[in-house]
Amino acid sequence: MQESIMLFFLNIANPTLDFLANIASAVGEQTFVIAVILYIFYNYDKKKGFGLFTSVLFAVLGMGILKAVVRAPRPFQVLESIDGKRLETATGYSFPSGHTTTGAAFYTALALTFKKRPVSILCAVMMALVGLSRLYLGVHWPIDVFAGLLLGVTISFTVSRYLNALYDDKNKRIRLSLWIGSLSFAAGAITAILLNTGTIDEVAFTDLMKVFALGGGGYLGFALENKKVNFTVEEKRSKQIVRYVIGLVGILLFIGAKVIIPESLYAVGSFVRYTLVGLWATGLYPLIGKNLRLFSGSR
């Protein structure tokens, strides 16, 4: 049945659908999701930004662990008729779909955050399109997409249920950030070292290591921001745009720094880059921005 579904998408393929599928896939990728969460955290509501980050991170961690355990091949590796498209985004094993998990967690959390029917409908459509795009592109099986949807939605509902009361207690929020950040940082560092020494499977653990690094830096940054900055989002629109653009450019520079890292240090270098992405976004940049009056609402 799964093969029949894959062949159906192969038979309807055309340049227009290729273009649309690439766009649909992109809105479930890390750069887009980080950019939206960053805007919400800086300029709309810090609590909502923290909740979105937590939902997506926990879902992606669960996905990464499942990929490392199951290690299922992708459709284009099994079926000769499937070439696979957008292969640069198909870096790990197949089950479950990373894009679908990320999209499901993000758009579910977004719907639960804003609780408006038009937003909820749009989010449901978006997560469905992300999943369908991965089937159309030939990089995931239907069961991968179904599992990604289930995992992302379930974790977002679970996180949303318990996070609100916890976030409102500042001391608990800081302790949670420090604990998760420290554990995630340590797990990422160990995984990176094992990858660099060739001790563990590169395909199974590289993406998981990056998630650990992003979570470690992000949560340690949240703790730093709460202790040293504690900015408010209210500000003139022009200043909001400037501080968002600078923050986003910093993230893109850290991600793009891979081109200067020696091949022999690829895993450790990735760990450092993704740790800095998280730390910069949630803590380091707000601290610097406070001194530069980019976060002039700081107190």
Side-chain angles (χ1 to χ4, degrees):
M1 184 177 71
Q2 292 201 88
E3 183 175 347
S4 297
I5 293 172
M6 300 305 300
L7 292 176
F8 166 77
F9 284 106
L10 176 65
N11 291 331
I12 66 170
N14 61 64
T16 300
L17 288 179
D18 286 356
F19 175 74
L20 294 175
N22 275 280
I23 293 177
S25 185
V27 298
E29 292 174 4
Q30 64 173 18
T31 303
F32 178 81
V33 171
I34 290 173
V36 175
I37 294 175
L38 197 70
Y39 183 84
I40 291 173
F41 180 66
Y42 288 165
N43 296 331
Y44 184 74
D45 190 307
K46 289 166 64 178
K47 180 178 180 178
K48 289 179 170 58
F50 181 86
L52 286 167
F53 180 84
T54 301
S55 294
V56 173
L57 181 76
F58 280 30
V60 175
L61 276 176
M63 174 271 298
I65 292 170
L66 284 172
K67 279 181 180 286
V69 171
V70 178
R71 304 191 186 189
R74 293 179 181 269
F76 61 84
Q77 296 171 326
V78 176
L79 303 176
E80 293 183 0
S81 56
I82 304 292
D83 291 329
K85 302 169 184 176
R86 202 174 176 83
L87 295 183
E88 68 276 10
T89 67
T91 53
Y93 287 107
S94 192
F95 179 89
S97 166
H99 281 68
T100 308
T101 302
T102 302
F106 174 66
Y107 290 112
T108 299
L110 207 60
L112 293 172
T113 294
F114 290 97
K115 297 180 180 178
K116 294 181 179 179
R117 179 171 293 183
V119 174
S120 297
I121 293 173
L122 176 62
C123 288
V125 171
M126 294 300 291
M127 73 172 77
L129 289 176
V130 172
L132 287 173
S133 73
R134 304 308 283 173
L135 294 176
Y136 177 87
L137 295 170
V139 292
H140 280 291
W141 303 97
I143 193 173
D144 302 337
V145 170
F146 175 77
L149 285 170
L150 182 62
L151 181 63
V153 171
T154 300
I155 289 181
S156 282
F157 269 99
T158 303
V159 168
S160 175
R161 180 178 179 182
Y162 293 105
L163 194 63
N164 286 337
L166 187 149
Y167 185 91
D168 291 335
D169 186 320
K170 182 178 179 180
N171 289 329
K172 288 184 178 179
R173 182 169 75 242
I174 292 175
R175 285 199 300 269
L176 175 73
S177 297
L178 286 173
W179 271 105
I180 297 178
S182 298
L183 290 173
S184 191
F185 179 89
I190 293 170
T191 306
I193 292 170
L194 293 175
L195 282 167
N196 244 131
T197 57
T199 307
I200 56 178
D201 183 355
E202 179 181 337
V203 177
F205 289 99
T206 296
D207 288 344
L208 181 59
M209 176 271 293
K210 293 176 181 178
V211 178
F212 278 133
L214 182 64
Y219 277 104
L220 292 175
F222 280 127
L224 174 65
E225 191 281 323
N226 275 273
K227 285 187 172 184
K228 299 296 184 181
V229 185
N230 200 24
F231 71 86
T232 58
V233 298
E234 292 79 10
E235 187 53 81
K236 293 188 298 183
R237 178 61 62 183
S238 58
K239 184 171 287 188
Q240 285 185 328
I241 293 173
V242 169
R243 70 184 182 189
Y244 171 69
V245 170
I246 294 175
L248 186 59
V249 168
I251 286 174
L252 295 176
L253 287 174
F254 284 128
I255 292 175
K258 64 185 295 184
V259 299
I260 64 174
I261 295 174
E263 184 66 26
S264 60
L265 296 175
Y266 81 98
V268 172
S270 291
F271 169 74
V272 172
R273 287 190 300 113
Y274 279 87
T275 298
L276 288 174
V277 166
L279 184 62
W280 166 265
T282 60
L284 190 59
Y285 174 55
L287 181 62
I288 295 172
K290 177 182 180 180
N291 296 323
L292 296 176
R293 300 186 182 277
L294 289 171
F295 293 86
S296 59
S298 304
R299 63 180 187 275

